[in-house]
């Protein structure tokens, strides 16, 4: 889906990490149910902080992060799979009186982006195949062009491309024993942190996981994105849905600043959150293919035995059988 594009004219200043939860996968024409954006300035990745108390040199999560997490009534039934993995359901959105994707969301997003130092790059894992075209579909259903000024980049593609550039020995040492290398977000996280992430398949949880994975290769990833990010307005919409301009007139209050639009598991799960760094500490078409990892979507259980250990046990079992046969010839 991603072909040719113009990279940013100068190094990216702000990386806005995004994750969307939705009612399903293509071709079901999914609708967004949760959106989370964390904006991190380049400075934070170039000057990581480390804990004084940890033996391992794991970078601390960036402290100065602007965050925007929104619950959105999708007005469409979740597929059983989406319902299962996200823990979201249509009844909860109605009961919690959540609004659908409307002009106010665009207002919030553009205001959020306007506060960031440009060039700004939207970053999502498998973004080119799922999150970006899906966001585009929802924006075009409202009938308003937004986010035309920003760039976007896909960490799935970036990490794969960076691995290709590295030599084969390096790849071999990073590869799971006896298995194809996985670029699934949770597996990447496990590789670096030796545990599975919390809150998988919540928009906020996945954004935090993505940033922690990004931190492990921040310099290489930023460098790759400086020359490979593409303009968001070159992303094709996932599908052409029915326009929802009507929802603007039903909105409870009117837009005060339409000029904004010209610019370019939460706990509880249905909490809409704005948080910006503040002195009082308040801040606080993914392809349905095995390669993209969607063959293995399931609720994550941190007590699952990791594949590496399973493979190692199988290997030891094989070795024991061969040894037994060699020592006990018939
Ligand atoms: N999704 C799905 N079935 C899967 C994997 C994902 O329906 N097997 C949909 C629902 C999720 C959305 O994709 O809300 C985004 O996935 P993720 O949680 O990986 O960001
Ligand atoms: Mg997610």
């Amino acid at each position: 889906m991603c072909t040719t594009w113009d990279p940013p004219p100068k190094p990216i200043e702000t990386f806005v990490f995004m994750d969307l939860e939705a009612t399903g996968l293509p071709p079901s024409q999914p609708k967004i149910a949760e959106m989370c954006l964390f904006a991190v300035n380049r400075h934070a990745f170039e000057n990581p902080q480390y804990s004084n108390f940890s033996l391992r040199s794991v970078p601390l999560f960036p402290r100065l992060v602007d965050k925007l997490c929104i619950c959105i009534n999708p007005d469409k039934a979740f597929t059983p799979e989406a319902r299962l993995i996200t823990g979201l359901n249509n009844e909860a959105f109605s009961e919690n009186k959540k609004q659908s994707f409307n002009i106010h969301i665009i207002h919030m997003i553009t205001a959020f982006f306007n506060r960031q130092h440009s060039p700004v790059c939207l970053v999502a894992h498998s973004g080119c195949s799922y999150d970006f075209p899906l966001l585009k579909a929802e924006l075009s259903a409202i009938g308003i062009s937004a986010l035309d000024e920003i760039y976007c980049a896909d960490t799935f593609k970036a990490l794969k491309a960076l691995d290709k550039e590295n030599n084969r020995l390096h790849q071999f040492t990073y590869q799971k024993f006896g298995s194809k290398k996985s670029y699934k977000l949770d597996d990447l996280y496990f590789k670096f942190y030796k545990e599975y992430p919390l809150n998988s398949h919540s928009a906020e949880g996945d954004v935090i996981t993505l940033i922690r994975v990004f931190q492990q290769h921040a310099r290489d990833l930023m460098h790759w994105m400086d020359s490979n990010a593409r303009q968001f307005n070159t992303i094709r919409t996932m599908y052409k849905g029915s326009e929802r301009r009507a929802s603007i007139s039903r909105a409870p209050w009117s837009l005060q600043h339409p000029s904004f639009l010209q610019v370019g598991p939460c706990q509880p799960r249905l909490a809409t959150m704005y948080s910006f760094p503040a002195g009082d500490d308040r801040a606080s078409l993914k392809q349905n293919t095995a390669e993209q990892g969607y063959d293995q979507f399931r609720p994550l259980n941190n007590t699952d035995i990791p594949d590496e250990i399973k493979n190692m046990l199988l290997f030891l079992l094989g070795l024991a059988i061969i040894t037994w046969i060699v020592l006990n010839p018939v």
Side-chain angles (χ1 to χ4, degrees), residues 34-35 62 94 157 201 214 218 275 310:
E34 269 188 338
M35 170 187 244
S94 306
K157 278 170 171 279
H201 306 302
F214 191 96
S275 68
K310 278 189 208 153

Side-chain angles (χ1 to χ4, degrees), residues 313-323:
L313 288 174
L314 279 174
F315 174 70
L316 290 175
L317 184 67
L319 204 64
I321 292 171
I322 292 167
T323 312

Side-chain angles (χ1 to χ4, degrees), residues 19-22 24-25 79 81-82 85-86 130 201 206 286 294 297:
D19 189 68
L20 302 177
E21 298 306 321
L25 290 173
T79 63
E81 179 80 5
I85 63 166
T86 62
Y130 190 82
H201 306 302
D206 287 346
K286 285 177 182 164
Y294 279 77
F297 269 90

